[in-house]
Amino acid sequence: MGKKKVKKIQHYSSSQKILLVGEGNFSFSSCLAKAFGSATNMVATCLHSEDALRRKHQSSRPHMAELKRRGCLVLYEINVCDMNQNPSLVSKKFDVIIFNFPHAGHFGLNETDHLLIEMHRNLLQAFFNSARYMLTRGGEVHVAHRDDWPYNKWKIEELAERADLYFKEKVDFNAIDYPGYNNKRGGAVRCDGKFPLKSCFTFKFCLKENTSQMPDNLLGKKI
């Protein structure tokens, strides 16, 4: 029996072990699963409980059903800030970790407010710090992000550098390249609505060579 044919969509393929975090209505994960024909190579996660997700994003139901039907591991209540320590993920390594349009929430603040920008930066810094320990050798972290003002004030390349992840490239992100994908707003304000996808890119990061992939709290301990 021959090998299964590798199927691709944009930067992603069925031969990769893929972790998706911070999913909204799981439409991006569902798009990849359909493109691959199977999702046994994928783990898709969100911050909310399953009940909360269904309330916030009613459109998630068919996408979640599609993922489970195709063999994707779907996990709820996964915090990107410490996901490498989550019992369901602690032993797993991934070729690609995807975080599309990260957002810390609104809290009554405007996107131009310095305090909210710092909250977004803190979220991404914690994500990078955690994601770096979950990569296979040669693995990549992908962050889809708007690169116009005020979102470029987040300076995500600087944040990745602090986590010993080097900037590889950024490529245009076009939603039409991912059939069925519907972006969703962050936070609790009109959370099932969309936001404008202007000046969007996928930022790709890799671990610097000779960088330890063992968390600091395990260094020096016998495993």
Side-chain angles (χ1 to χ4, degrees):
M1 184 179 293
K3 291 183 179 179
K4 286 185 178 180
K5 181 180 179 181
V6 173
K7 297 182 179 180
K8 298 183 178 181
I9 178 169
Q10 296 304 310
H11 326 289
Y12 311 113
S13 80
S14 57
S15 65
Q16 295 170 322
K17 290 178 287 186
I18 300 174
L19 171 66
L20 301 103
V21 302
E23 283 287 86
N25 67 348
F26 285 89
S27 58
F28 191 86
S29 298
S30 179
C31 168
L32 298 192
K34 290 177 182 176
F36 300 155
S38 168
T40 55
N41 62 314
M42 295 168 47
V43 179
T45 75
C46 71
L47 176 62
H48 308 291
S49 68
E50 185 172 0
D51 287 343
L53 175 75
R54 291 180 185 277
R55 291 195 300 270
K56 289 172 69 71
H57 300 299
Q58 295 182 8
S59 58
S60 66
R61 292 175 182 266
H63 301 306
M64 292 160 60
E66 181 74 24
L67 288 168
K68 292 177 180 178
R69 184 173 71 84
R70 295 185 183 271
C72 179
L73 175 60
V74 177
L75 299 175
Y76 305 96
E77 300 182 81
I78 300 297
N79 189 330
V80 300
C81 298
D82 59 4
M83 58 188 180
N84 64 303
Q85 299 177 38
N86 187 283
S88 297
L89 294 171
V90 69
S91 63
K92 298 182 184 298
K93 297 285 187 180
F94 299 93
D95 301 311
V96 186
I97 299 174
I98 304 170
F99 196 177
N100 287 331
F101 304 104
H103 199 280
H106 290 97
F107 306 98
L109 300 171
N110 189 286
E111 292 292 353
T112 60
D113 290 342
H114 176 74
L115 177 58
L116 187 55
I117 290 173
E118 283 304 303
M119 292 172 69
H120 292 322
R121 283 172 52 82
N122 290 339
L123 170 67
L124 264 175
Q125 186 67 77
F127 162 70
F128 285 133
N129 290 345
S130 184
R132 56 166 287 187
Y133 298 117
M134 303 174 72
L135 293 172
T136 57
R137 185 175 296 277
E140 298 182 353
V141 174
H142 291 188
V143 178
H145 182 56
R146 283 180 57 170
D147 202 27
D148 56 343
W149 187 85
Y151 304 97
N152 54 10
K153 300 289 286 183
W154 298 15
K155 300 180 180 178
I156 68 171
E157 295 169 49
E158 172 187 292
L159 301 177
E161 172 75 18
R162 292 179 184 174
D164 289 323
L165 292 164
Y166 75 85
F167 173 64
K168 181 179 179 181
E169 63 176 343
K170 72 175 184 179
V171 295
D172 289 337
F173 180 98
N174 297 302
I176 59 173
D177 292 333
Y178 301 98
Y181 170 58
N182 292 292
N183 63 300
K184 296 298 178 182
R185 292 169 56 87
V189 180
R190 302 195 309 276
C191 54
D192 210 28
K194 294 185 177 183
F195 57 88
L197 292 179
K198 301 185 294 184
S199 187
C200 295
F201 299 88
T202 296
F203 290 75
K204 300 181 181 181
F205 303 95
C206 300
L207 269 179
K208 294 180 180 179
E209 293 208 9
N210 301 319
T211 298
S212 171
Q213 287 182 272
M214 184 178 294
D216 293 340
N217 64 335
L218 293 182
L219 288 175
K221 292 185 178 181
K222 292 183 179 181
I223 305 297

